[in-house]
Amino acid sequence: MAYVNENYLKLKAGYLFPEIGRRVSVFCEENPEAAKRLIRCGIGDVTEALPLAVREAMKSAVDDLGNRDTFRGYGPEQGYSFLREAIAGDYRERGLNVADDEVFVSDGSKCDTGNILEIFGEGNTIAITDPVYPVYVDTNVMAGNTGDAREDGSYEGLVYLPCTAENDFVPAIPEEKVDIIYLCYPNNPTGTTATREQLAAWVDYANKNGSILLYDAAYEAFIQDDSVPRSIFEIEGARTCAIEFRSFSKNGGFTGVRCGFTIVPKELTAQTKDGKEVALHGLWNRRMSTKFNGASYPVQRGAEALYSEAGKAEVAALIEHYMGNAKILSDACKACGLTVYGGENAPYVWVGCPEGVGSWDAFDKFLNEANVVVTPGAGFGAAGEGYFRISSFNSRANVEEVAKRIAELKW
Ligand SMILES: *Cc1c(COP(=O)(O)O)cnc(C)c1O
């Protein structure tokens, strides 16, 4: 008899995006004319073309593979040194102490934020923010770090840290002791950022309690305000309590190309049950060497090109495009009296629903009256009720049209 991992049976059948999909298809079936003008501002996927510098680097890497003298087979599981150097060099240029061999290149940070749980033992108390990027929750369910799902979709055994307008969408330090804390800034879904002081308080808490911060900086490139930290390692003391996840998906348009990386500082440790300190760097290195054979060579050459002068200029233009969209969407919501958060250092605009309007009511109103798909905040967690998210990953023409339709909505 083979037994299944019963933790998978605890998973709530991915509620948010299937339910959005269901409502959108019902709408389109019932309103075929309106369906033609439907604009999707729901999903967090990029829309603009892959930078030329990346495409050229990838093409030339493919040609390397076509010649037996420059052919490459299996690469280093941790990533090619040319890319690890480019990544760590970029941190060092910003004055941050990151060594080349603290960089682990992967096929994206969704995988890394999930896989990282393999190097942690049983019995850790896990804290996540609410609302949250659902991957952090579901991977903990799969790993057996939670109890069953409750009626409202939350899980027993997880510590939920509410992020609302009252705390500027940065969670208060919990009263209880938690062992692993997921933080994501700039945030998906709220589009908000954490200040240096707020992050310092978390680093302080983690160092005092022997906790680990799993810091997801997937949207770092969208930061416009120089006072907002771009990396957890800008905070003193972070090297002894934090792992950072980064991705080329959103800055370089790599959602389909697939490449990201994780920084594990060598001084970062966790304990065995009998109190011995063990370096996490060695464990993650072992995990990657055993279970991963590296991101593909052309993809890593493409990622390297993002650090060239030409690549940086193209990334800057992409960010300017998406942030221009965010401003248009944000201004449109403000102009009709809605309260807007985020959207200044992140490609997501997080909007408060008018008094008495729920997240899903707002979703339905946008769909039925504006023929625009947004994401209801409640889908990201209970504390997201009363908000909806508009993504600025879109063409300028679509965003301008959405802004026009927002202006016509009567609440
Ligand atoms: C898009 C996104 C990522 C990136 O995931 P990839 O697997 O690298 O494409 C990571 N974290 C968050 C919160 C995201 O929204």
Side-chain angles (χ1 to χ4, degrees):
M1 181 63 76
Y3 299 105
V4 298
N5 176 351
E6 292 190 26
N7 294 316
Y8 278 62
L9 309 181
K10 298 178 196 163
L11 291 166
K12 280 271 179 177
Y15 172 69
L16 175 61
F17 290 102
E19 178 59 17
I20 291 176
R22 193 191 64 77
R23 293 192 191 203
V24 171
S25 12
V26 169
F27 172 80
C28 291
E29 257 162 53
E30 290 174 357
N31 307 280
E33 273 315 300
K36 288 186 198 148
R37 64 196 289 273
L38 194 75
I39 301 179
R40 293 176 194 271
C41 295
I43 300 173
D45 194 358
V46 295
T47 55
E48 303 309 295
L50 195 64
L52 178 63
V54 171
R55 282 177 280 141
E56 282 177 342
M58 288 176 73
K59 283 181 195 165
S60 126
V62 169
D63 288 338
D64 289 345
L65 300 181
N67 178 338
R68 96 179 290 293
D69 294 332
T70 49
F71 173 77
R72 307 215 185 195
Y74 288 125
E77 293 95 349
Q78 302 81 354
Y80 281 104
S81 60
F82 60 77
L83 181 55
R84 296 176 96 190
E85 245 173 74
I87 293 167
D90 182 62
Y91 276 89
R92 290 194 292 265
E93 255 171 49
R94 297 170 191 207
L96 304 179
N97 165 25
V98 171
D100 295 358
D101 62 355
E102 291 175 326
V103 177
F104 294 88
V105 176
S106 73
D107 56 351
S109 63
K110 181 184 189 177
C111 327
D112 289 343
T113 55
N115 291 332
I116 198 75
L117 289 173
E118 287 185 24
I119 65 169
F120 293 103
E122 279 171 26
N124 285 310
T125 305
I126 314 281
I128 55 144
T129 61
D130 174 11
V132 72
Y133 179 56
V135 175
Y136 313 149
V137 176
D138 288 0
T139 52
N140 273 289
V141 176
M142 292 170 172
N145 292 336
T146 73
D148 287 324
R150 300 190 191 94
E151 199 52 45
D152 66 357
S154 66
Y155 288 89
E156 280 166 18
L158 285 183
V159 175
Y160 289 86
L161 308 171
C163 295
T164 59
E166 286 67 46
N167 60 14
D168 288 328
F169 303 95
V170 178
I173 304 286
E175 307 268 316
E176 69 225 280
K177 190 177 162 308
V178 293
D179 303 304
I180 295 175
I181 304 112
Y182 290 82
L183 293 176
C184 172
Y185 289 102
N187 188 259
N188 178 13
T190 67
T192 57
T193 54
T195 65
R196 203 167 292 280
E197 293 68 31
Q198 287 165 328
L199 292 179
W202 274 103
V203 166
D204 210 39
Y205 170 87
N207 278 323
K208 282 202 179 106
N209 291 284
S211 321
I212 304 282
L213 302 178
L214 299 179
Y215 194 78
D216 185 343
Y219 297 95
E220 162 274 340
F222 293 83
I223 294 173
Q224 308 289 305
D225 176 346
D226 287 338
S227 73
V228 173
R230 290 171 174 266
S231 163
I232 193 66
F233 300 121
E234 289 183 31
I235 311 299
E236 203 173 318
R239 285 183 57 89
T240 50
C241 68
I243 292 176
E244 179 157 293
F245 302 95
R246 284 264 305 270
S247 168
F248 299 112
S249 282
K250 311 297 163 43
N251 64 336
F254 269 46
T255 53
V257 175
R258 310 302 310 138
C259 196
F261 62 88
T262 296
I263 308 279
V264 186
K266 289 194 199 115
E267 43 281 50
L268 182 66
T269 61
Q271 290 198 1
T272 60
K273 284 273 149 77
D274 55 10
K276 260 202 306 259
E277 299 283 332
V278 177
L280 292 174
H281 183 273
L283 298 191
W284 186 243
N285 188 43
R286 186 60 202 258
R287 190 267 165 208
M288 293 302 269
S289 315
T290 302
K291 294 202 180 180
F292 189 56
N293 253 336
S296 89
Y297 172 67
V299 163
Q300 291 192 60
R301 281 293 185 200
E304 180 192 26
L306 291 171
Y307 291 94
S308 67
E309 284 314 309
K312 282 182 186 165
E314 285 182 273
V315 168
L318 285 171
I319 301 289
E320 196 185 324
H321 167 78
Y322 292 127
M323 292 312 292
N325 286 352
K327 177 152 187 359
I328 293 169
L329 293 167
S330 208
D331 287 349
C333 290
K334 285 178 192 161
C336 57
L338 295 166
T339 311
V340 174
Y341 309 91
E344 289 177 353
N345 296 288
Y348 300 118
V349 181
W350 188 246
V351 188
C353 301
E355 197 65 31
V357 178
S359 289
W360 281 103
D361 301 332
F363 169 88
D364 287 333
K365 189 172 181 75
F366 265 86
L367 179 60
N368 290 308
E369 295 174 26
N371 311 138
V372 170
V373 182
V374 297
T375 316
F380 296 103
E385 179 50 76
Y387 300 91
F388 59 91
R389 187 189 78 174
I390 313 183
S391 162
S392 59
F393 290 125
N394 223 318
S395 67
R396 183 55 54 85
N398 272 353
V399 162
E400 281 169 352
E401 176 62 24
V402 169
K404 229 189 282 165
R405 296 188 200 171
I406 289 173
E408 289 160 6
L409 276 180
K410 298 272 172 296
W411 291 90

PDB file of all heavy atoms in Angstrom, residues 80-93 98-100 103-105 246 248 259-263 303-304 307:
ATOM      1  N   TYR A  80      25.826  29.567 -12.378  1.00  0.00           N
ATOM      2  CA  TYR A  80      27.137  29.868 -12.970  1.00  0.00           C
ATOM      3  C   TYR A  80      27.784  31.026 -12.229  1.00  0.00           C
ATOM      4  O   TYR A  80      27.091  31.965 -11.801  1.00  0.00           O
ATOM      5  CB  TYR A  80      26.974  30.220 -14.446  1.00  0.00           C
ATOM      6  CG  TYR A  80      26.802  28.994 -15.317  1.00  0.00           C
ATOM      7  CD1 TYR A  80      25.560  28.644 -15.817  1.00  0.00           C
ATOM      8  CD2 TYR A  80      27.896  28.176 -15.609  1.00  0.00           C
ATOM      9  CE1 TYR A  80      25.396  27.513 -16.611  1.00  0.00           C
ATOM     10  CE2 TYR A  80      27.746  27.033 -16.394  1.00  0.00           C
ATOM     11  CZ  TYR A  80      26.500  26.712 -16.888  1.00  0.00           C
ATOM     12  OH  TYR A  80      26.343  25.590 -17.654  1.00  0.00           O
ATOM     13  N   SER A  81      29.103  30.966 -12.144  1.00  0.00           N
ATOM     14  CA  SER A  81      29.799  32.023 -11.403  1.00  0.00           C
ATOM     15  C   SER A  81      29.612  33.392 -12.060  1.00  0.00           C
ATOM     16  O   SER A  81      29.561  34.402 -11.368  1.00  0.00           O
ATOM     17  CB  SER A  81      31.280  31.675 -11.224  1.00  0.00           C
ATOM     18  OG  SER A  81      31.847  31.539 -12.493  1.00  0.00           O
ATOM     19  N   PHE A  82      29.437  33.425 -13.412  1.00  0.00           N
ATOM     20  CA  PHE A  82      29.252  34.749 -14.036  1.00  0.00           C
ATOM     21  C   PHE A  82      27.988  35.431 -13.497  1.00  0.00           C
ATOM     22  O   PHE A  82      27.960  36.646 -13.303  1.00  0.00           O
ATOM     23  CB  PHE A  82      29.229  34.654 -15.574  1.00  0.00           C
ATOM     24  CG  PHE A  82      28.138  33.792 -16.179  1.00  0.00           C
ATOM     25  CD1 PHE A  82      26.826  34.263 -16.265  1.00  0.00           C
ATOM     26  CD2 PHE A  82      28.423  32.524 -16.686  1.00  0.00           C
ATOM     27  CE1 PHE A  82      25.821  33.473 -16.836  1.00  0.00           C
ATOM     28  CE2 PHE A  82      27.416  31.737 -17.254  1.00  0.00           C
ATOM     29  CZ  PHE A  82      26.109  32.207 -17.323  1.00  0.00           C
ATOM     30  N   LEU A  83      26.943  34.645 -13.223  1.00  0.00           N
ATOM     31  CA  LEU A  83      25.695  35.248 -12.735  1.00  0.00           C
ATOM     32  C   LEU A  83      25.758  35.507 -11.225  1.00  0.00           C
ATOM     33  O   LEU A  83      25.326  36.560 -10.751  1.00  0.00           O
ATOM     34  CB  LEU A  83      24.492  34.360 -13.089  1.00  0.00           C
ATOM     35  CG  LEU A  83      23.126  34.911 -12.652  1.00  0.00           C
ATOM     36  CD1 LEU A  83      22.882  36.328 -13.192  1.00  0.00           C
ATOM     37  CD2 LEU A  83      21.995  33.980 -13.106  1.00  0.00           C
ATOM     38  N   ARG A  84      26.325  34.563 -10.471  1.00  0.00           N
ATOM     39  CA  ARG A  84      26.439  34.778  -9.018  1.00  0.00           C
ATOM     40  C   ARG A  84      27.273  36.026  -8.735  1.00  0.00           C
ATOM     41  O   ARG A  84      26.962  36.805  -7.834  1.00  0.00           O
ATOM     42  CB  ARG A  84      27.071  33.555  -8.352  1.00  0.00           C
ATOM     43  CG  ARG A  84      26.225  32.302  -8.483  1.00  0.00           C
ATOM     44  CD  ARG A  84      26.929  31.106  -7.902  1.00  0.00           C
ATOM     45  NE  ARG A  84      26.531  30.821  -6.523  1.00  0.00           N
ATOM     46  CZ  ARG A  84      27.150  29.940  -5.742  1.00  0.00           C
ATOM     47  NH1 ARG A  84      28.222  29.299  -6.182  1.00  0.00           N
ATOM     48  NH2 ARG A  84      26.729  29.718  -4.499  1.00  0.00           N
ATOM     49  N   GLU A  85      28.318  36.223  -9.563  1.00  0.00           N
ATOM     50  CA  GLU A  85      29.175  37.403  -9.394  1.00  0.00           C
ATOM     51  C   GLU A  85      28.424  38.685  -9.729  1.00  0.00           C
ATOM     52  O   GLU A  85      28.562  39.696  -9.040  1.00  0.00           O
ATOM     53  CB  GLU A  85      30.343  37.281 -10.379  1.00  0.00           C
ATOM     54  CG  GLU A  85      31.686  37.133  -9.749  1.00  0.00           C
ATOM     55  CD  GLU A  85      32.725  36.859 -10.846  1.00  0.00           C
ATOM     56  OE1 GLU A  85      33.068  37.811 -11.594  1.00  0.00           O
ATOM     57  OE2 GLU A  85      33.128  35.689 -10.955  1.00  0.00           O
ATOM     58  N   ALA A  86      27.630  38.639 -10.806  1.00  0.00           N
ATOM     59  CA  ALA A  86      26.871  39.829 -11.215  1.00  0.00           C
ATOM     60  C   ALA A  86      25.867  40.194 -10.115  1.00  0.00           C
ATOM     61  O   ALA A  86      25.701  41.373  -9.766  1.00  0.00           O
ATOM     62  CB  ALA A  86      26.147  39.568 -12.533  1.00  0.00           C
ATOM     63  N   ILE A  87      25.215  39.186  -9.549  1.00  0.00           N
ATOM     64  CA  ILE A  87      24.196  39.427  -8.522  1.00  0.00           C
ATOM     65  C   ILE A  87      24.838  39.959  -7.240  1.00  0.00           C
ATOM     66  O   ILE A  87      24.447  41.002  -6.713  1.00  0.00           O
ATOM     67  CB  ILE A  87      23.411  38.122  -8.223  1.00  0.00           C
ATOM     68  CG1 ILE A  87      22.565  37.712  -9.435  1.00  0.00           C
ATOM     69  CG2 ILE A  87      22.537  38.291  -6.982  1.00  0.00           C
ATOM     70  CD1 ILE A  87      21.991  36.286  -9.358  1.00  0.00           C
ATOM     71  N   ALA A  88      25.846  39.230  -6.744  1.00  0.00           N
ATOM     72  CA  ALA A  88      26.495  39.641  -5.498  1.00  0.00           C
ATOM     73  C   ALA A  88      27.196  40.985  -5.691  1.00  0.00           C
ATOM     74  O   ALA A  88      27.202  41.833  -4.793  1.00  0.00           O
ATOM     75  CB  ALA A  88      27.478  38.570  -5.031  1.00  0.00           C
ATOM     76  N   GLY A  89      27.761  41.187  -6.900  1.00  0.00           N
ATOM     77  CA  GLY A  89      28.436  42.452  -7.202  1.00  0.00           C
ATOM     78  C   GLY A  89      27.463  43.620  -7.107  1.00  0.00           C
ATOM     79  O   GLY A  89      27.812  44.707  -6.625  1.00  0.00           O
ATOM     80  N   ASP A  90      26.239  43.403  -7.552  1.00  0.00           N
ATOM     81  CA  ASP A  90      25.217  44.443  -7.489  1.00  0.00           C
ATOM     82  C   ASP A  90      24.898  44.788  -6.030  1.00  0.00           C
ATOM     83  O   ASP A  90      24.758  45.961  -5.672  1.00  0.00           O
ATOM     84  CB  ASP A  90      23.970  43.951  -8.232  1.00  0.00           C
ATOM     85  CG  ASP A  90      22.870  44.995  -8.267  1.00  0.00           C
ATOM     86  OD1 ASP A  90      23.101  46.068  -8.853  1.00  0.00           O
ATOM     87  OD2 ASP A  90      21.785  44.738  -7.690  1.00  0.00           O
ATOM     88  N   TYR A  91      24.804  43.779  -5.165  1.00  0.00           N
ATOM     89  CA  TYR A  91      24.611  44.043  -3.733  1.00  0.00           C
ATOM     90  C   TYR A  91      25.801  44.827  -3.184  1.00  0.00           C
ATOM     91  O   TYR A  91      25.642  45.791  -2.446  1.00  0.00           O
ATOM     92  CB  TYR A  91      24.480  42.727  -2.944  1.00  0.00           C
ATOM     93  CG  TYR A  91      23.082  42.134  -2.924  1.00  0.00           C
ATOM     94  CD1 TYR A  91      22.676  41.254  -3.920  1.00  0.00           C
ATOM     95  CD2 TYR A  91      22.191  42.443  -1.906  1.00  0.00           C
ATOM     96  CE1 TYR A  91      21.405  40.693  -3.893  1.00  0.00           C
ATOM     97  CE2 TYR A  91      20.918  41.888  -1.869  1.00  0.00           C
ATOM     98  CZ  TYR A  91      20.522  41.019  -2.872  1.00  0.00           C
ATOM     99  OH  TYR A  91      19.266  40.475  -2.841  1.00  0.00           O
ATOM    100  N   ARG A  92      27.001  44.388  -3.566  1.00  0.00           N
ATOM    101  CA  ARG A  92      28.201  45.045  -3.009  1.00  0.00           C
ATOM    102  C   ARG A  92      28.294  46.490  -3.481  1.00  0.00           C
ATOM    103  O   ARG A  92      28.689  47.368  -2.725  1.00  0.00           O
ATOM    104  CB  ARG A  92      29.454  44.244  -3.377  1.00  0.00           C
ATOM    105  CG  ARG A  92      29.524  42.891  -2.628  1.00  0.00           C
ATOM    106  CD  ARG A  92      30.896  42.250  -2.719  1.00  0.00           C
ATOM    107  NE  ARG A  92      31.222  41.798  -4.072  1.00  0.00           N
ATOM    108  CZ  ARG A  92      31.041  40.544  -4.528  1.00  0.00           C
ATOM    109  NH1 ARG A  92      30.535  39.606  -3.740  1.00  0.00           N
ATOM    110  NH2 ARG A  92      31.384  40.228  -5.764  1.00  0.00           N
ATOM    111  N   GLU A  93      27.863  46.745  -4.731  1.00  0.00           N
ATOM    112  CA  GLU A  93      27.853  48.124  -5.218  1.00  0.00           C
ATOM    113  C   GLU A  93      26.953  49.005  -4.369  1.00  0.00           C
ATOM    114  O   GLU A  93      27.158  50.210  -4.267  1.00  0.00           O
ATOM    115  CB  GLU A  93      27.335  48.165  -6.665  1.00  0.00           C
ATOM    116  CG  GLU A  93      28.424  48.384  -7.676  1.00  0.00           C
ATOM    117  CD  GLU A  93      27.914  48.193  -9.092  1.00  0.00           C
ATOM    118  OE1 GLU A  93      26.855  48.771  -9.431  1.00  0.00           O
ATOM    119  OE2 GLU A  93      28.566  47.442  -9.845  1.00  0.00           O
ATOM    120  N   VAL A  98      27.570  40.863   0.502  1.00  0.00           N
ATOM    121  CA  VAL A  98      27.054  39.570   0.041  1.00  0.00           C
ATOM    122  C   VAL A  98      28.148  38.913  -0.799  1.00  0.00           C
ATOM    123  O   VAL A  98      28.642  39.503  -1.762  1.00  0.00           O
ATOM    124  CB  VAL A  98      25.756  39.734  -0.801  1.00  0.00           C
ATOM    125  CG1 VAL A  98      25.356  38.410  -1.457  1.00  0.00           C
ATOM    126  CG2 VAL A  98      24.611  40.258   0.056  1.00  0.00           C
ATOM    127  N   ALA A  99      28.551  37.709  -0.418  1.00  0.00           N
ATOM    128  CA  ALA A  99      29.598  36.995  -1.153  1.00  0.00           C
ATOM    129  C   ALA A  99      28.978  36.236  -2.312  1.00  0.00           C
ATOM    130  O   ALA A  99      27.809  35.832  -2.251  1.00  0.00           O
ATOM    131  CB  ALA A  99      30.321  36.033  -0.216  1.00  0.00           C
ATOM    132  N   ASP A 100      29.777  36.029  -3.378  1.00  0.00           N
ATOM    133  CA  ASP A 100      29.268  35.321  -4.558  1.00  0.00           C
ATOM    134  C   ASP A 100      28.642  33.975  -4.164  1.00  0.00           C
ATOM    135  O   ASP A 100      27.605  33.593  -4.690  1.00  0.00           O
ATOM    136  CB  ASP A 100      30.401  35.041  -5.559  1.00  0.00           C
ATOM    137  CG  ASP A 100      30.979  36.321  -6.142  1.00  0.00           C
ATOM    138  OD1 ASP A 100      30.482  37.419  -5.794  1.00  0.00           O
ATOM    139  OD2 ASP A 100      31.933  36.226  -6.932  1.00  0.00           O
ATOM    140  N   VAL A 103      24.976  33.391  -2.974  1.00  0.00           N
ATOM    141  CA  VAL A 103      23.888  33.508  -3.961  1.00  0.00           C
ATOM    142  C   VAL A 103      23.584  32.125  -4.523  1.00  0.00           C
ATOM    143  O   VAL A 103      24.489  31.427  -4.990  1.00  0.00           O
ATOM    144  CB  VAL A 103      24.318  34.431  -5.130  1.00  0.00           C
ATOM    145  CG1 VAL A 103      23.221  34.488  -6.199  1.00  0.00           C
ATOM    146  CG2 VAL A 103      24.694  35.809  -4.637  1.00  0.00           C
ATOM    147  N   PHE A 104      22.338  31.726  -4.482  1.00  0.00           N
ATOM    148  CA  PHE A 104      21.906  30.452  -5.073  1.00  0.00           C
ATOM    149  C   PHE A 104      20.899  30.771  -6.174  1.00  0.00           C
ATOM    150  O   PHE A 104      19.794  31.250  -5.900  1.00  0.00           O
ATOM    151  CB  PHE A 104      21.255  29.556  -4.018  1.00  0.00           C
ATOM    152  CG  PHE A 104      22.224  29.090  -2.955  1.00  0.00           C
ATOM    153  CD1 PHE A 104      22.464  29.857  -1.816  1.00  0.00           C
ATOM    154  CD2 PHE A 104      22.912  27.891  -3.115  1.00  0.00           C
ATOM    155  CE1 PHE A 104      23.357  29.434  -0.849  1.00  0.00           C
ATOM    156  CE2 PHE A 104      23.822  27.465  -2.142  1.00  0.00           C
ATOM    157  CZ  PHE A 104      24.052  28.230  -1.010  1.00  0.00           C
ATOM    158  N   VAL A 105      21.305  30.534  -7.420  1.00  0.00           N
ATOM    159  CA  VAL A 105      20.447  30.843  -8.571  1.00  0.00           C
ATOM    160  C   VAL A 105      19.440  29.701  -8.751  1.00  0.00           C
ATOM    161  O   VAL A 105      19.783  28.531  -8.575  1.00  0.00           O
ATOM    162  CB  VAL A 105      21.312  31.009  -9.838  1.00  0.00           C
ATOM    163  CG1 VAL A 105      20.433  31.226 -11.071  1.00  0.00           C
ATOM    164  CG2 VAL A 105      22.292  32.169  -9.663  1.00  0.00           C
ATOM    165  N   ARG A 246      14.861  36.758  -4.290  1.00  0.00           N
ATOM    166  CA  ARG A 246      14.677  37.741  -5.361  1.00  0.00           C
ATOM    167  C   ARG A 246      14.359  36.992  -6.649  1.00  0.00           C
ATOM    168  O   ARG A 246      14.668  35.813  -6.790  1.00  0.00           O
ATOM    169  CB  ARG A 246      15.962  38.560  -5.545  1.00  0.00           C
ATOM    170  CG  ARG A 246      16.182  39.623  -4.460  1.00  0.00           C
ATOM    171  CD  ARG A 246      15.684  40.983  -4.905  1.00  0.00           C
ATOM    172  NE  ARG A 246      16.303  41.374  -6.161  1.00  0.00           N
ATOM    173  CZ  ARG A 246      17.442  42.059  -6.255  1.00  0.00           C
ATOM    174  NH1 ARG A 246      18.081  42.469  -5.175  1.00  0.00           N
ATOM    175  NH2 ARG A 246      17.949  42.359  -7.445  1.00  0.00           N
ATOM    176  N   PHE A 248      13.811  37.541 -11.155  1.00  0.00           N
ATOM    177  CA  PHE A 248      13.892  38.395 -12.342  1.00  0.00           C
ATOM    178  C   PHE A 248      12.538  38.484 -13.049  1.00  0.00           C
ATOM    179  O   PHE A 248      12.424  39.093 -14.103  1.00  0.00           O
ATOM    180  CB  PHE A 248      14.972  37.866 -13.296  1.00  0.00           C
ATOM    181  CG  PHE A 248      16.346  37.852 -12.664  1.00  0.00           C
ATOM    182  CD1 PHE A 248      16.993  36.661 -12.384  1.00  0.00           C
ATOM    183  CD2 PHE A 248      16.979  39.043 -12.313  1.00  0.00           C
ATOM    184  CE1 PHE A 248      18.247  36.637 -11.777  1.00  0.00           C
ATOM    185  CE2 PHE A 248      18.224  39.039 -11.701  1.00  0.00           C
ATOM    186  CZ  PHE A 248      18.863  37.836 -11.436  1.00  0.00           C
ATOM    187  N   CYS A 259      13.819  32.676 -13.786  1.00  0.00           N
ATOM    188  CA  CYS A 259      15.087  32.741 -13.065  1.00  0.00           C
ATOM    189  C   CYS A 259      14.923  33.619 -11.824  1.00  0.00           C
ATOM    190  O   CYS A 259      14.260  34.654 -11.875  1.00  0.00           O
ATOM    191  CB  CYS A 259      16.210  33.297 -13.945  1.00  0.00           C
ATOM    192  SG  CYS A 259      17.863  32.984 -13.301  1.00  0.00           S
ATOM    193  N   GLY A 260      15.488  33.161 -10.736  1.00  0.00           N
ATOM    194  CA  GLY A 260      15.482  33.933  -9.498  1.00  0.00           C
ATOM    195  C   GLY A 260      16.677  33.518  -8.664  1.00  0.00           C
ATOM    196  O   GLY A 260      17.523  32.756  -9.141  1.00  0.00           O
ATOM    197  N   PHE A 261      16.756  34.031  -7.447  1.00  0.00           N
ATOM    198  CA  PHE A 261      17.873  33.609  -6.593  1.00  0.00           C
ATOM    199  C   PHE A 261      17.541  33.825  -5.134  1.00  0.00           C
ATOM    200  O   PHE A 261      16.623  34.577  -4.790  1.00  0.00           O
ATOM    201  CB  PHE A 261      19.167  34.339  -6.970  1.00  0.00           C
ATOM    202  CG  PHE A 261      19.127  35.834  -6.818  1.00  0.00           C
ATOM    203  CD1 PHE A 261      19.455  36.455  -5.619  1.00  0.00           C
ATOM    204  CD2 PHE A 261      18.750  36.633  -7.889  1.00  0.00           C
ATOM    205  CE1 PHE A 261      19.412  37.842  -5.493  1.00  0.00           C
ATOM    206  CE2 PHE A 261      18.703  38.026  -7.772  1.00  0.00           C
ATOM    207  CZ  PHE A 261      19.040  38.626  -6.569  1.00  0.00           C
ATOM    208  N   THR A 262      18.301  33.136  -4.304  1.00  0.00           N
ATOM    209  CA  THR A 262      18.141  33.220  -2.859  1.00  0.00           C
ATOM    210  C   THR A 262      19.501  33.544  -2.254  1.00  0.00           C
ATOM    211  O   THR A 262      20.513  33.006  -2.702  1.00  0.00           O
ATOM    212  CB  THR A 262      17.608  31.875  -2.324  1.00  0.00           C
ATOM    213  OG1 THR A 262      16.319  31.678  -2.883  1.00  0.00           O
ATOM    214  CG2 THR A 262      17.507  31.858  -0.817  1.00  0.00           C
ATOM    215  N   ILE A 263      19.503  34.445  -1.270  1.00  0.00           N
ATOM    216  CA  ILE A 263      20.750  34.783  -0.566  1.00  0.00           C
ATOM    217  C   ILE A 263      20.675  34.168   0.828  1.00  0.00           C
ATOM    218  O   ILE A 263      19.785  34.505   1.614  1.00  0.00           O
ATOM    219  CB  ILE A 263      20.906  36.315  -0.399  1.00  0.00           C
ATOM    220  CG1 ILE A 263      20.742  37.049  -1.727  1.00  0.00           C
ATOM    221  CG2 ILE A 263      22.229  36.656   0.298  1.00  0.00           C
ATOM    222  CD1 ILE A 263      21.911  37.077  -2.620  1.00  0.00           C
ATOM    223  N   ALA A 303      19.755  36.420 -17.702  1.00  0.00           N
ATOM    224  CA  ALA A 303      19.682  37.126 -16.420  1.00  0.00           C
ATOM    225  C   ALA A 303      20.919  37.998 -16.219  1.00  0.00           C
ATOM    226  O   ALA A 303      20.828  39.135 -15.754  1.00  0.00           O
ATOM    227  CB  ALA A 303      19.545  36.119 -15.277  1.00  0.00           C
ATOM    228  N   GLU A 304      22.079  37.470 -16.622  1.00  0.00           N
ATOM    229  CA  GLU A 304      23.321  38.246 -16.502  1.00  0.00           C
ATOM    230  C   GLU A 304      23.197  39.560 -17.280  1.00  0.00           C
ATOM    231  O   GLU A 304      23.650  40.614 -16.825  1.00  0.00           O
ATOM    232  CB  GLU A 304      24.499  37.417 -17.048  1.00  0.00           C
ATOM    233  CG  GLU A 304      25.836  38.134 -16.977  1.00  0.00           C
ATOM    234  CD  GLU A 304      26.935  37.410 -17.784  1.00  0.00           C
ATOM    235  OE1 GLU A 304      26.598  36.687 -18.761  1.00  0.00           O
ATOM    236  OE2 GLU A 304      28.119  37.572 -17.434  1.00  0.00           O
ATOM    237  N   TYR A 307      22.103  42.900 -15.866  1.00  0.00           N
ATOM    238  CA  TYR A 307      23.069  43.702 -15.097  1.00  0.00           C
ATOM    239  C   TYR A 307      23.999  44.517 -15.995  1.00  0.00           C
ATOM    240  O   TYR A 307      24.833  45.261 -15.503  1.00  0.00           O
ATOM    241  CB  TYR A 307      23.889  42.799 -14.169  1.00  0.00           C
ATOM    242  CG  TYR A 307      23.058  42.214 -13.033  1.00  0.00           C
ATOM    243  CD1 TYR A 307      22.464  40.961 -13.151  1.00  0.00           C
ATOM    244  CD2 TYR A 307      22.856  42.941 -11.858  1.00  0.00           C
ATOM    245  CE1 TYR A 307      21.695  40.434 -12.122  1.00  0.00           C
ATOM    246  CE2 TYR A 307      22.090  42.419 -10.827  1.00  0.00           C
ATOM    247  CZ  TYR A 307      21.507  41.172 -10.964  1.00  0.00           C
ATOM    248  OH  TYR A 307      20.744  40.652  -9.943  1.00  0.00           O
TER     249      TYR A 307
END
